Coordinates of all heavy atoms in Angstrom, one line a residue:
M1 N 62.7 126.5 96.7 CA 63.5 125.7 97.6 C 64.6 125.0 96.7 O 64.3 124.3 95.8 CB 62.7 124.6 98.3 CG 63.4 123.9 99.4 SD 62.1 122.9 100.2 CE 63.2 121.8 101.1
S2 N 65.8 125.1 97.1 CA 66.9 124.5 96.3 C 67.2 123.1 96.8 O 67.1 122.8 98.0 CB 68.1 125.4 96.3 OG 68.7 125.4 97.7
K3 N 67.6 122.3 95.8 CA 68.0 121.0 96.2 C 69.6 120.9 96.1 O 70.2 121.4 95.4 CB 67.5 120.0 95.1 CG 65.9 119.9 95.1 CD 65.6 118.8 94.1 CE 64.0 118.6 94.1 NZ 63.5 117.7 93.2
K4 N 70.0 120.2 97.2 CA 71.6 120.1 97.2 C 71.8 118.6 97.1 O 71.2 117.7 97.5 CB 71.9 120.4 98.6 CG 71.8 121.9 99.0 CD 72.4 122.3 100.3 CE 72.2 123.7 100.6 NZ 72.6 124.2 101.9
A5 N 72.9 118.4 96.2 CA 73.4 117.0 96.0 C 74.4 116.7 97.0 O 75.1 117.4 97.5 CB 74.1 117.0 94.6
A6 N 74.3 115.4 97.4 CA 75.2 114.8 98.3 C 76.5 114.4 97.6 O 76.5 113.6 96.7 CB 74.7 113.6 99.0
I7 N 77.7 115.0 98.0 CA 78.8 114.7 97.4 C 79.9 114.1 98.4 O 80.1 114.8 99.4 CB 79.5 115.9 96.7 CG1 78.6 116.5 95.6 CG2 80.9 115.6 96.0 CD1 79.0 117.8 94.9
S8 N 80.3 112.9 98.1 CA 81.3 112.4 99.1 C 82.7 112.7 98.6 O 83.1 112.5 97.5 CB 81.1 110.8 99.0 OG 82.1 110.2 99.7
K9 N 83.5 113.2 99.5 CA 84.9 113.5 99.3 C 85.7 112.7 100.2 O 85.5 112.5 101.4 CB 85.3 114.9 99.5 CG 84.5 115.9 98.6 CD 85.0 117.3 98.8 CE 84.2 118.3 97.9 NZ 84.5 119.7 98.2
P10 N 86.8 112.0 99.7 CA 87.6 111.2 100.6 C 88.5 112.2 101.5 O 88.8 113.3 101.0 CB 88.6 110.6 99.5 CG 88.6 111.4 98.3 CD 87.3 112.0 98.2
S11 N 88.6 111.7 102.6 CA 89.5 112.6 103.6 C 90.1 111.7 104.6 O 89.6 110.7 105.0 CB 88.5 113.6 104.4 OG 87.7 112.9 105.1
E12 N 91.4 111.9 104.7 CA 92.2 111.1 105.6 C 91.7 111.0 107.0 O 91.4 112.1 107.5 CB 93.7 111.7 105.6 CG 94.6 110.9 106.3 CD 96.0 111.6 106.4 OE1 96.1 112.5 107.2 OE2 96.9 111.2 105.6
G13 N 91.5 109.9 107.5 CA 91.1 109.7 108.8 C 89.6 109.9 109.2 O 89.2 109.9 110.3
A14 N 88.8 110.1 108.1 CA 87.4 110.2 108.4 C 86.7 109.1 109.1 O 85.8 109.2 109.9 CB 86.7 110.5 107.0
S15 N 87.4 107.9 109.0 CA 86.9 106.6 109.6 C 87.9 106.1 110.5 O 88.0 104.9 110.8 CB 86.6 105.6 108.5 OG 85.6 106.0 107.7
G16 N 88.8 107.0 111.1 CA 89.8 106.5 112.0 C 91.1 106.0 111.3 O 91.2 106.4 110.1
L17 N 91.9 105.3 112.0 CA 93.1 104.7 111.3 C 92.7 103.5 110.6 O 92.9 102.4 111.0 CB 94.1 104.3 112.5 CG 94.8 105.5 113.2 CD1 95.6 105.0 114.3 CD2 95.5 106.3 112.2
T18 N 92.3 103.7 109.4 CA 91.8 102.7 108.5 C 92.9 101.8 108.1 O 92.6 100.6 107.5 CB 91.1 103.2 107.3 OG1 91.8 104.3 106.8 CG2 89.6 103.7 107.6
G19 N 94.1 102.1 108.3 CA 95.3 101.2 107.9 C 95.2 99.9 108.8 O 95.8 98.9 108.5
M20 N 94.6 99.9 109.9 CA 94.5 98.7 110.7 C 93.6 97.7 110.2 O 93.6 96.5 110.5 CB 93.9 99.1 112.1 CG 94.8 100.0 112.9 SD 94.1 100.7 114.4 CE 93.9 99.2 115.4
W21 N 92.8 98.0 109.1 CA 91.9 97.0 108.4 C 92.8 96.2 107.5 O 92.2 95.2 106.9 CB 90.8 97.7 107.6 CG 89.9 98.7 108.4 CD1 89.9 99.0 109.7 CD2 88.9 99.5 107.8 NE1 89.0 99.9 110.0 CE2 88.3 100.3 108.9 CE3 88.3 99.7 106.5 CZ2 87.3 101.2 108.7 CZ3 87.4 100.6 106.3 CH2 86.8 101.3 107.4
R22 N 93.9 96.7 107.1 CA 94.6 96.2 105.9 C 95.2 94.7 106.1 O 95.8 94.5 107.2 CB 95.7 97.2 105.5 CG 96.3 97.0 104.2 CD 97.4 98.2 104.0 NE 98.5 98.0 104.9 CZ 98.7 98.9 105.7 NH1 98.0 100.2 105.8 NH2 99.7 98.9 106.7
I23 N 95.0 93.9 105.2 CA 95.7 92.6 105.1 C 96.7 92.6 103.9 O 97.5 91.7 103.8 CB 94.8 91.3 105.1 CG1 93.8 91.4 103.9 CG2 94.0 91.2 106.5 CD1 93.0 90.1 103.8
K24 N 96.5 93.5 103.0 CA 97.4 93.6 101.8 C 97.8 95.2 101.7 O 97.0 96.0 102.1 CB 96.8 93.1 100.6 CG 96.5 91.7 100.5 CD 95.9 91.2 99.2 CE 95.6 89.7 99.3 NZ 94.9 89.2 98.1
R25 N 98.9 95.3 101.1 CA 99.3 96.7 100.9 C 99.8 97.0 99.5 O 100.5 96.2 98.8 CB 100.5 97.2 101.9 CG 101.8 96.5 101.6 CD 102.9 97.2 102.4 NE 102.6 97.2 103.9 CZ 103.2 98.0 104.9 NH1 104.0 98.9 104.4 NH2 102.9 98.0 106.0
P26 N 99.5 98.3 99.0 CA 100.0 98.7 97.8 C 101.4 99.2 97.9 O 101.7 99.9 98.8 CB 99.0 99.8 97.3 CG 98.6 100.3 98.7 CD 98.6 99.3 99.7
V27 N 102.2 98.9 96.8 CA 103.6 99.4 96.8 C 103.7 100.1 95.4 O 103.4 99.5 94.4 CB 104.5 98.3 96.9 CG1 106.1 98.7 96.9 CG2 104.4 97.6 98.3
V28 N 104.3 101.3 95.4 CA 104.4 102.0 94.2 C 105.8 101.8 93.6 O 106.8 102.0 94.3 CB 104.1 103.5 94.3 CG1 104.4 104.2 93.0 CG2 102.8 103.8 94.9
D29 N 105.9 101.4 92.3 CA 107.2 101.4 91.7 C 107.4 102.8 91.0 O 106.8 103.0 89.9 CB 107.2 100.2 90.6 CG 108.5 100.1 89.9 OD1 109.4 101.0 90.0 OD2 108.6 99.1 89.2
Q30 N 108.2 103.5 91.6 CA 108.5 104.9 91.1 C 109.1 105.0 89.6 O 108.9 105.9 89.0 CB 109.3 105.7 92.0 CG 108.8 105.8 93.5 CD 107.6 106.8 93.6 OE1 107.3 107.5 92.6 NE2 107.0 106.8 94.8
T31 N 109.7 103.9 89.3 CA 110.4 103.7 87.9 C 109.2 103.6 86.9 O 109.5 103.9 85.7 CB 111.3 102.7 87.8 OG1 110.7 101.4 87.9 CG2 112.4 102.8 88.9
K32 N 108.1 103.1 87.2 CA 107.0 102.9 86.2 C 106.0 104.1 86.3 O 105.3 104.3 85.3 CB 106.3 101.6 86.5 CG 107.1 100.4 86.1 CD 106.2 99.2 86.3 CE 106.9 97.9 86.0 NZ 106.0 96.7 86.4
C33 N 105.9 104.8 87.4 CA 104.9 105.8 87.7 C 105.1 107.0 86.6 O 106.2 107.5 86.5 CB 104.9 106.3 89.1 SG 103.9 107.6 89.4
T34 N 103.9 107.3 86.0 CA 103.9 108.4 85.0 C 103.3 109.7 85.6 O 103.2 110.7 85.0 CB 103.2 108.1 83.8 OG1 101.8 107.8 84.2 CG2 103.8 106.9 83.1
N35 N 103.1 109.6 86.9 CA 102.6 110.8 87.6 C 101.2 111.2 87.1 O 100.9 112.5 87.2 CB 103.5 112.0 87.6 CG 103.9 112.4 88.9 OD1 103.3 112.0 89.9 ND2 105.0 113.3 89.0
C36 N 100.4 110.4 86.7 CA 99.0 110.7 86.2 C 98.1 111.1 87.3 O 97.0 111.8 87.0 CB 98.4 109.6 85.3 SG 98.0 108.2 86.3
L37 N 98.3 110.6 88.4 CA 97.6 111.0 89.7 C 96.2 110.4 89.8 O 95.4 110.7 90.6 CB 97.4 112.5 89.8 CG 98.7 113.3 90.1 CD1 98.5 114.8 90.2 CD2 99.5 112.7 91.3
L38 N 95.9 109.4 88.9 CA 94.6 108.6 89.0 C 94.5 107.9 90.3 O 93.4 107.9 91.0 CB 94.5 107.7 87.8 CG 94.0 108.2 86.5 CD1 93.9 107.1 85.5 CD2 92.7 108.9 86.6
C39 N 95.6 107.4 90.8 CA 95.5 106.7 92.2 C 95.2 107.7 93.2 O 94.4 107.4 94.1 CB 96.8 106.0 92.5 SG 98.3 107.0 92.4
W40 N 95.7 108.8 93.2 CA 95.5 109.9 94.1 C 94.0 110.3 94.1 O 93.4 110.6 95.1 CB 96.4 111.1 93.8 CG 96.1 112.3 94.6 CD1 96.5 112.6 95.9 CD2 95.4 113.5 94.2 NE1 96.0 113.8 96.3 CE2 95.4 114.4 95.2 CE3 94.8 113.8 93.0 CZ2 94.8 115.7 95.1 CZ3 94.2 115.0 92.9 CH2 94.2 116.0 93.9
L41 N 93.4 110.4 92.9 CA 92.1 110.8 92.6 C 91.2 109.8 93.2 O 90.1 110.1 93.7 CB 91.9 111.0 91.1 CG 90.6 111.7 90.6 CD1 90.5 113.1 91.2 CD2 90.5 111.6 89.1
Y42 N 91.4 108.4 92.9 CA 90.5 107.4 93.3 C 90.6 107.0 94.7 O 89.6 106.2 95.2 CB 90.6 106.3 92.3 CG 89.9 106.5 90.9 CD1 90.5 107.2 89.8 CD2 88.5 106.2 90.8 CE1 89.8 107.4 88.8 CE2 87.8 106.4 89.6 CZ 88.5 107.0 88.6 OH 87.8 107.2 87.4
C43 N 91.6 107.1 95.3 CA 91.8 106.5 96.7 C 90.7 107.0 97.6 O 90.6 108.2 97.9 CB 93.2 106.9 97.3 SG 93.3 106.2 99.0
P44 N 89.9 106.1 98.2 CA 88.8 106.5 99.0 C 89.2 107.1 100.4 O 88.4 107.6 101.1 CB 88.0 105.3 99.1 CG 88.9 104.1 98.9 CD 89.9 104.7 97.9
E45 N 90.4 106.8 100.8 CA 90.9 107.2 102.1 C 91.9 108.4 102.0 O 92.3 108.8 103.2 CB 91.6 106.0 102.8 CG 90.7 104.8 103.0 CD 89.6 105.1 103.8 OE1 89.6 105.9 104.7 OE2 88.6 104.4 103.6
G46 N 92.1 109.0 100.9 CA 93.0 110.1 100.8 C 94.4 109.7 101.3 O 95.1 110.5 101.8
A47 N 94.8 108.4 101.1 CA 95.9 107.9 101.6 C 97.2 108.2 100.7 O 98.3 107.9 101.1 CB 95.9 106.4 101.9
M48 N 96.9 108.5 99.5 CA 98.0 108.8 98.5 C 98.5 110.3 98.7 O 97.7 111.1 98.7 CB 97.5 108.7 97.1 CG 97.4 107.3 96.6 SD 99.0 106.6 96.2 CE 98.6 104.9 95.8
K49 N 99.7 110.4 99.0 CA 100.3 111.7 99.2 C 101.1 112.2 98.0 O 101.9 111.5 97.5 CB 101.2 111.7 100.5 CG 100.5 111.1 101.6 CD 99.5 112.2 102.1 CE 98.6 111.6 103.1 NZ 97.2 112.2 103.0
R50 N 100.9 113.4 97.7 CA 101.7 114.1 96.6 C 102.8 114.9 97.2 O 102.5 115.7 98.1 CB 100.8 115.0 95.7 CG 99.7 114.2 95.1 CD 98.6 115.2 94.4 NE 99.2 116.0 93.5 CZ 98.4 117.0 92.9 NH1 97.3 117.2 93.3 NH2 99.0 117.8 92.1
H51 N 104.0 114.9 96.7 CA 105.1 115.6 97.3 C 105.4 116.6 96.3 O 105.3 116.6 95.1 CB 106.2 114.6 97.6 CG 105.9 113.7 98.7 ND1 105.8 113.9 100.0 CD2 105.5 112.4 98.6 CE1 105.3 112.9 100.8 NE2 105.2 111.9 99.9
E52 N 106.3 117.6 96.8 CA 106.7 118.7 96.0 C 107.5 118.3 94.8 O 107.5 118.9 93.7 CB 107.4 119.8 96.8 CG 106.5 120.7 97.6 CD 107.1 121.8 98.3 OE1 108.3 122.1 98.1 OE2 106.5 122.3 99.2
D53 N 108.3 117.3 95.0 CA 109.2 116.7 93.9 C 108.4 115.9 92.8 O 108.9 115.4 91.9 CB 110.3 115.9 94.4 CG 109.9 114.7 95.1 OD1 108.6 114.4 95.2 OD2 110.7 114.0 95.6
G54 N 107.0 115.8 93.0 CA 106.2 115.1 92.2 C 106.0 113.6 92.4 O 105.2 113.0 91.8
K55 N 106.7 113.1 93.4 CA 106.6 111.7 93.8 C 105.3 111.5 94.6 O 104.9 112.5 95.3 CB 107.8 111.2 94.4 CG 109.1 111.2 93.4 CD 110.3 110.4 94.0 CE 111.3 110.3 92.9 NZ 112.5 109.7 93.3
L56 N 104.9 110.3 94.7 CA 103.8 109.8 95.5 C 104.3 109.0 96.6 O 105.3 108.2 96.5 CB 102.8 109.0 94.7 CG 102.1 109.7 93.6 CD1 101.4 108.7 92.7 CD2 101.0 110.6 94.3
S57 N 103.6 109.0 97.7 CA 103.9 108.0 98.7 C 102.5 107.7 99.3 O 101.5 108.3 99.1 CB 104.8 108.5 99.8 OG 104.3 109.6 100.6
I58 N 102.5 106.6 100.1 CA 101.2 106.1 100.7 C 101.3 106.2 102.2 O 102.3 105.7 102.8 CB 101.0 104.7 100.2 CG1 101.0 104.5 98.7 CG2 99.7 104.1 100.8 CD1 101.0 103.1 98.1
S59 N 100.3 106.7 102.7 CA 100.2 106.8 104.2 C 99.5 105.5 104.7 O 98.3 105.2 104.5 CB 99.3 107.9 104.7 OG 99.0 107.8 106.1
Y60 N 100.5 104.6 105.2 CA 99.9 103.3 105.6 C 99.1 103.3 107.0 O 98.5 102.4 107.4 CB 101.1 102.3 105.7 CG 101.7 102.0 104.4 CD1 102.9 102.3 104.0 CD2 100.9 101.2 103.5 CE1 103.6 102.0 102.8 CE2 101.5 100.9 102.2 CZ 102.7 101.3 101.8 OH 103.2 100.9 100.7
D61 N 99.1 104.5 107.5 CA 98.1 104.7 108.7 C 96.6 104.7 108.3 O 95.8 104.3 109.0 CB 98.5 106.0 109.4 CG 99.6 106.0 110.3 OD1 100.1 104.8 110.7 OD2 100.1 107.1 110.7
F62 N 96.4 105.1 107.0 CA 95.2 105.2 106.5 C 94.8 104.4 105.3 O 93.7 104.1 105.0 CB 94.8 106.6 106.1 CG 95.0 107.6 107.4 CD1 96.1 108.4 107.5 CD2 94.0 107.6 108.4 CE1 96.3 109.2 108.6 CE2 94.2 108.4 109.4 CZ 95.3 109.2 109.6
C63 N 95.8 103.9 104.6 CA 95.5 102.9 103.5 C 94.9 101.7 104.0 O 95.5 101.0 104.9 CB 96.8 102.6 102.8 SG 96.7 101.2 101.7
K64 N 93.8 101.3 103.6 CA 93.1 100.0 104.1 C 93.3 98.8 103.1 O 92.8 97.8 103.4 CB 91.5 100.3 104.3 CG 90.8 100.7 103.0 CD 89.4 101.1 103.3 CE 88.7 101.5 102.0 NZ 87.4 102.1 102.3
G65 N 94.1 99.0 102.0 CA 94.6 97.9 101.2 C 93.4 97.5 100.3 O 93.4 96.3 99.8
C66 N 92.5 98.4 99.9 CA 91.4 98.0 98.9 C 91.8 97.6 97.6 O 91.2 96.9 96.9 CB 90.3 99.1 99.0 SG 90.9 100.7 98.2
G67 N 93.0 98.2 97.1 CA 93.5 97.8 95.8 C 93.0 98.7 94.7 O 93.3 98.5 93.5
I68 N 92.1 99.7 95.0 CA 91.5 100.5 93.9 C 92.7 101.2 93.2 O 92.7 101.3 91.9 CB 90.6 101.6 94.4 CG1 89.2 100.8 95.0 CG2 90.1 102.6 93.5 CD1 88.3 101.7 95.7
C69 N 93.7 101.7 93.9 CA 94.8 102.5 93.3 C 95.5 101.6 92.2 O 95.8 102.0 91.1 CB 95.8 102.9 94.2 SG 96.4 101.6 95.4
A70 N 95.7 100.3 92.5 CA 96.4 99.4 91.6 C 95.4 99.1 90.3 O 96.0 99.0 89.3 CB 96.7 98.1 92.3
E71 N 94.1 98.9 90.6 CA 93.2 98.8 89.5 C 93.2 99.9 88.5 O 93.0 99.6 87.3 CB 91.9 98.5 90.0 CG 91.6 97.2 90.6 CD 91.7 96.0 89.7 OE1 91.2 96.2 88.6 OE2 92.3 95.0 89.9
V72 N 93.3 101.2 89.0 CA 93.1 102.3 88.1 C 94.5 102.7 87.5 O 94.5 103.5 86.5 CB 92.4 103.4 88.8 CG1 91.1 103.1 89.4 CG2 93.3 104.0 89.9
C73 N 95.6 102.2 88.0 CA 96.8 102.7 87.5 C 97.1 102.2 86.0 O 97.3 101.0 85.8 CB 98.0 102.2 88.4 SG 99.6 102.6 87.8
P74 N 97.2 103.1 85.1 CA 97.4 102.7 83.7 C 98.8 102.2 83.4 O 98.9 101.5 82.4 CB 97.1 104.0 82.9 CG 97.3 105.1 83.9 CD 97.0 104.6 85.2
A75 N 99.7 102.6 84.2 CA 101.1 102.1 84.1 C 101.4 100.8 84.7 O 102.6 100.4 84.7 CB 102.0 103.3 84.5
K76 N 100.5 100.3 85.5 CA 100.7 99.0 86.3 C 101.9 99.3 87.3 O 102.8 98.4 87.5 CB 101.1 97.8 85.4 CG 99.9 97.5 84.4 CD 98.6 97.1 85.1 CE 97.5 96.7 84.1 NZ 96.2 97.2 84.6
A77 N 101.9 100.5 87.8 CA 103.0 100.9 88.7 C 102.8 100.5 90.2 O 103.6 100.7 90.9 CB 103.3 102.3 88.5
I78 N 101.6 100.0 90.5 CA 101.3 99.7 91.8 C 101.0 98.2 91.9 O 100.2 97.6 91.2 CB 100.1 100.5 92.3 CG1 100.2 101.9 92.2 CG2 99.7 100.1 93.8 CD1 99.1 102.8 92.5
V79 N 101.8 97.5 92.8 CA 101.4 96.1 93.1 C 100.9 96.0 94.5 O 101.2 96.7 95.4 CB 102.8 95.2 92.9 CG1 103.2 95.3 91.4 CG2 103.8 95.7 93.8
I80 N 100.1 94.9 94.6 CA 99.5 94.7 96.0 C 100.2 93.5 96.6 O 100.3 92.5 95.9 CB 98.0 94.4 95.8 CG1 97.3 95.6 95.2 CG2 97.4 94.1 97.2 CD1 97.2 96.9 95.9
V81 N 100.7 93.7 97.7 CA 101.5 92.5 98.3 C 100.8 92.3 99.7 O 100.3 93.1 100.3 CB 103.0 92.9 98.5 CG1 103.6 93.2 97.2 CG2 103.2 94.1 99.5
R82 N 101.0 91.1 100.1 CA 100.4 90.6 101.4 C 101.2 91.2 102.5 O 102.4 91.2 102.4 CB 100.4 89.1 101.4 CG 99.7 88.5 102.6 CD 99.3 87.1 102.5 NE 98.3 86.8 101.6 CZ 97.0 86.9 101.8 NH1 96.6 87.2 103.1 NH2 96.0 86.6 101.0
E83 N 100.5 91.6 103.6 CA 101.3 92.1 104.8 C 102.0 90.9 105.4 O 101.6 89.8 105.4 CB 100.2 92.7 105.7 CG 99.6 94.0 105.4 CD 100.6 95.2 105.5 OE1 101.7 94.9 106.0 OE2 100.1 96.3 105.3
A84 N 103.1 91.3 105.9 CA 104.0 90.2 106.5 C 103.3 89.7 107.8 O 102.5 90.5 108.4 CB 105.3 90.8 107.0
Ligands
SF4_1 S1 94.9 100.4 98.6 FE1 95.3 102.2 97.4 S2 93.2 103.1 96.9 FE2 93.0 101.6 98.6 S3 93.2 102.9 100.5 FE3 95.3 102.1 100.0 S4 96.2 103.7 98.8 FE4 93.9 104.0 98.9
SF4_2 S1 98.0 105.8 88.9 FE1 99.9 104.7 88.5 S2 101.1 106.1 87.0 FE2 99.4 107.3 87.9 S3 100.3 108.4 89.5 FE3 99.5 106.6 90.5 S4 101.1 105.1 90.5 FE4 101.7 106.8 89.1

């Protein structure tokens, strides 16, 4: 009998519109971003979007403002600001 490991993968919308939970939002400074994609890798909501031109954007429908992306960004290219 084989054993299977449980692996959690982030997926956009798995918990609904998680952007409604947010009281703070991440903002990417594209001039500092080195495109390392750590934020994309670590975002638990799959809210970081990669575009063909290499730039990143954030889906605020699903970003819940947890701040993990800002914590892992080695270039300090993501700031967390309070929602208006
Ligand atoms: S704050 Fe960053 S890591 Fe957290 S959900 Fe939003 S984009 Fe993803
Ligand atoms: S972790 Fe920071 S430097 Fe890396 S892709 Fe994301 S915003 Fe850019």
Side-chain angles (χ1 to χ4, degrees):
M1 186 174 166
S2 67
K3 291 185 179 177
K4 291 184 180 175
I7 299 173
S8 171
K9 291 183 181 173
S11 65
E12 183 184 83
S15 301
L17 288 176
T18 41
M20 293 172 68
W21 304 357
R22 194 178 59 244
I23 56 171
K24 293 180 180 177
R25 71 167 55 203
V27 178
V28 179
D29 180 345
Q30 300 286 354
T31 65
K32 290 184 179 175
C33 175
T34 59
N35 240 349
C36 70
L37 298 180
L38 277 179
C39 56
W40 172 79
L41 189 66
Y42 278 89
C43 175
E45 300 301 329
M48 281 287 176
K49 301 290 162 210
R50 297 165 67 186
H51 299 283
E52 284 185 9
D53 63 1
K55 291 194 174 173
L56 288 167
S57 66
I58 299 168
S59 169
Y60 290 113
D61 281 342
F62 301 103
C63 166
K64 63 187 178 189
C66 66
I68 290 173
C69 52
E71 284 293 319
V72 300
C73 176
K76 305 290 179 220
I78 302 176
V79 293
I80 303 293
V81 299
R82 187 166 285 280
E83 288 284 2

